[in-house]
Amino acid sequence: MLIAPIPLEDRFLRLEPFNNELQAEVRAALDCDPDAWAIMVAPAWGEHFDGWWNSAVAAMRAGTRIAYAVRRLSDGVVVGTTSLYEINPAYRRCEIGSTFYRPEARGGAINPACKRLLLGHAFDAGAVRVEIITDAINAQSQAAILKLGAKAEGVLRKHKITWTGRARDTAMFAVIDDDWPEVRDQLDRRLAAFA
């Protein structure tokens, strides 16, 4: 499995791998909604942005993450970020996460379009498993993940420590290669409704 750090695009958005030219646009997209960052593992708004950006870029250099700016094509604005990370070629698995969208980009086509592109890219590269995890207290995120077609696999207790020091339980979901054709078709039908 070799997942290339290339741009991905559909009719709604373009996912652009992080580079220095994108830094200011990503900062502007993430520098909002402090309440939403409260339950994240790592914050990326305000004074936290530089450390978060540097960590993402270092993981990209190490080959364990592809961090993307999410550019909405209708107006060309970067409205958030998402990543393929925890990339493990030996096990042919990765995760989708570190996802944040500006409030006005939530709902609608942005999230399912991102997930369709990322899942397709991972499975086309030979992945057999793509995980999507979220905080067990985030019911809205869990509902969105289930709506994508991922299967719930349980809760990992005290799986991560958030930036606020809270021991986070993690709700685990996954799409495996056997699921992908059905999930892909479901996402394609869902996105067609936004045409």
Side-chain angles (χ1 to χ4, degrees), residues 20-32:
N20 290 338
E21 290 75 33
L22 288 169
Q23 188 171 359
E25 288 182 280
V26 173
R27 180 191 304 270
L30 304 187
D31 199 15
C32 67

Side-chain angles (χ1 to χ4, degrees), residues 7-15 68 70-71 73 82 84 96 110-124 180 187-188 191:
L8 307 172
E9 186 173 328
D10 67 8
R11 68 183 184 279
F12 302 105
L13 54 88
R14 180 177 170 86
L15 298 179
Y68 292 96
V70 179
R71 186 177 303 281
L73 292 180
T82 193
L84 288 170
I96 293 175
I110 295 292
N111 189 54
C114 279
K115 298 307 189 285
R116 170 62 175 89
L117 288 169
L118 294 171
L119 287 164
H121 190 47
F123 287 118
D124 288 348
W180 174 231
L187 281 169
D188 287 346
L191 290 169

